[in-house]
Amino acid sequence: MGALKGTDTNMDQTPHNSQPPGGASLFAAIRSAAPDGSRVFIRDVAGHRLTYHEMYAETARIANCLVAAGLRPGDRLAVQVEKSVTAILVALACMRAGAIFLPLSPAYTLAELEYFLADAEPSCVVVQPGKQSSIGSMLAGKAAILTLDSGGKRGSLIDGTRGMPDSIHDVPRTADDLAAILYTSGTTGRSKGAMLTHYNLVSNALTLRDLWRFTRDDVLLHALPVYHTHGLFTATNTVLMAGASMVFLPRFDAELIFAHLPGCTTMMGVPTFYTRLLADPRLTREAAAHMRVFISGSAPLLPETHREWFDRTGHAILERYGMTETNMIASNPYDGERRAGAVGYPLPGVDLRVVDGGTGEALPDGEIGMIELRGPNVCKGYWRKPEQTAETFRGDGFFVTGDLGRINADGYLEIVGRAKDLVITGGFNVYPREVEFEIDAIPGVVESAVIGVPHPDFGEGVTAVIVRKRDVELSESVILEALRERLAKFKLPKRVVFRDVLPRNAMGKVQKNELRNIYRDLYVNS
Ligand code: AMP
């Protein structure tokens, strides 16, 4: 049946789902994982570096400053700052103080912030100096406010750390205590805060360290944002649990990537990192020869990108699958086949099943259904949203991902797309990924997104939005002709439209909502 335990697969690992070594808190786990404090933890592009010892001292000073500002164990610390080394130290300091870290994208507007701050009720907020007065007046004295500039070098938080002791008694946390609340990007309704425990973070990071073979000799090239789980936890905590090191780029920038790649051994990125690097002639076999592994996630990696990357560099990208609410769920194997278009096996300790979304019955292997999982990585629920929490967990504790997928005969999981992106046309289900796959294989196509758009006859009309290669003549009729012999009639797009680019968010996810909105009148009067 379509159910797998991470330990049933060929991932010969011990699941980290018992109390982690050295105590339950993330920081206690870091200390026991990185006993050699003289090693470098982090380096920025200006060449500044911090050893583990220096990181311990610096996070203690920041934690002492936050405590002095009124942050108590169990309080929320909301942080809306640009990426910097200090920003990551603030997250660690927050957890040392026993408080709950609440990162917010710098792109959020004041109106959006108002919702998050009212929902989370932080006792302390850290913002860029330019936003202090507007956010300060919104908080109306209900929370302390501190500032940190975009370089992470100035602001009242930094001033406040001067003279603070460089040690602190880490507030003990049980495995069940919250380490962070991460608001999910929720495209419908309001964002919900996923409540992540220390145990969720520690167990997942130890598992990833072992699975992806991170050791203290690794140097990770870190170009991801740190308000999202990928850069904040997946990348950073895997490094920390190995006592390894990372080069912290302020953002993805091909110049910076090629400048720093030679000093690194690993990179984690979203698929757009890989497609952009492929477009750069500096990406050669020699440039990547010293690298140990390239890892991709947060959005589907096109099989084409996987193959091109392998041809250019000799490296098979290791694709994995995860969510804000669950940390990492599944991964292609380190040693076995890293399969294009698949996300591999459930992680050790994760029970995963594919079920009929309506009945909840497990489906046979190969059939498409809702992906559900249970394991030490899954969050406790949504902050102050008991109803949404109850809707997202089954009675037996399985978390409903909202992603559709299937388990192949050899146990590899394939993601087909979000359930809400499923197109229902004339009563038939069309899985966009299946159609996108065929479109992407047509010569001259760069990428595609298949969406359902209101249709007077069919309910929804299958609609293909395509980006074609520059200087290539590709018309709607050519695409439809090519698809006709590959897809059943009901799956064929009713219309094909061309665009220069697909709208994506910062994590590289195609914004299908936006596309549905743009093309919502396509079939009006048709
Ligand atoms: P987020 O909570 O922002 O990390 O988004 C999680 C969602 O991203 C998942 O529910 C999937 O829909 C999608 N996702 C993450 N990794 C992959 C992947 N490797 N392939 C396809 N979709 C992915």
Side-chain angles (χ1 to χ4, degrees), residues 184-185 228-229 296-301 319-325 343 401 403 415 418 509:
T184 61
S185 40
H228 182 272
T229 191
S296 174
S298 284
L301 183 78
E319 185 174 8
R320 85 328 174 257
Y321 160 58
M323 291 180 80
T324 299
E325 290 94 327
V343 294
T401 61
D403 287 319
I415 314 287
R418 300 289 295 163
K509 287 189 225 293

Side-chain angles (χ1 to χ4, degrees), residues 344-390:
Y345 304 112
L347 299 186
V350 171
D351 291 341
L352 186 142
R353 65 191 182 195
V354 171
V355 306
D356 178 307
T359 63
E361 292 286 312
L363 293 170
D365 283 351
E367 283 197 22
I368 294 173
M370 178 65 74
I371 300 171
E372 301 185 348
L373 72 141
R374 192 168 59 180
N377 49 330
V378 180
C379 73
K380 263 175 106 166
Y382 296 110
W383 172 256
R384 290 182 179 165
K385 293 212 168 19
E387 278 169 26
Q388 279 96 327
T389 301

Side-chain angles (χ1 to χ4, degrees), residues 30-42 49-57 216 240 242-244:
I30 295 169
R31 279 189 188 280
S32 60
D36 181 0
S38 65
R39 297 185 73 88
V40 174
F41 161 52
I42 195 164
R49 39 192 183 139
L50 281 185
T51 62
Y52 273 82
H53 267 323
E54 287 161 341
M55 178 269 278
Y56 297 151
R216 60 187 214 157
L240 284 164

